[in-house]
Amino acid sequence: MSPSKLPEPFSVIFTWFAAVLLLVWLARSLTSAIIKDSLILEGPCPNCGTENTSFLRTILSISSGDSTNKVKCENCGTALVYDSTTRLITIPEGSSS
């Protein structure tokens, strides 16, 4: 006796449905293993308005170690402080802008 087969259009749909579910699950599992508890803050520089991005918390077991992250603006070079608790981008006191 031969194994039962689905009719032609349904076999392709079923195969792709199963494959897509498996790939989505695999992608989410790998992403959660690599990027643990991540936070990405993006916003304009208070000095020149250029969009800047900062990655906080743990990525590939490398922790940012603090709730703040210091970054330089890509355009004007102004020192910026990204704060993950208040979600604000500020210029540190005493810096020249």
Side-chain angles (χ1 to χ4, degrees):
M1 218 176 209
S2 65
S4 62
K5 292 184 178 182
L6 291 171
E8 183 55 41
F10 298 113
S11 64
V12 173
I13 292 169
F14 180 75
T15 302
W16 278 105
F17 181 73
V20 166
L21 286 178
L22 178 66
L23 289 174
V24 168
W25 175 80
L26 184 63
R28 290 180 63 93
S29 299
L30 286 174
T31 301
S32 65
I34 293 171
I35 302 174
K36 296 177 180 153
D37 191 30
S38 67
L39 177 65
I40 301 170
L41 296 178
E42 182 178 18
C45 170
N47 192 33
C48 69
T50 303
E51 287 288 321
N52 290 284
T53 305
S54 178
F55 300 95
L56 292 128
R57 300 193 182 143
T58 304
I59 298 175
L60 280 177
S61 75
I62 301 170
S63 176
S64 66
D66 202 356
S67 64
T68 61
N69 193 7
K70 296 175 182 164
V71 177
K72 284 194 172 201
C73 176
E74 297 171 359
N75 186 37
C76 65
T78 302
L80 305 172
V81 176
Y82 285 74
D83 191 340
S84 66
T85 55
T86 61
R87 307 273 171 111
L88 291 175
I89 303 169
T90 56
I91 298 174
E93 291 183 31
S95 69
S96 59
S97 52

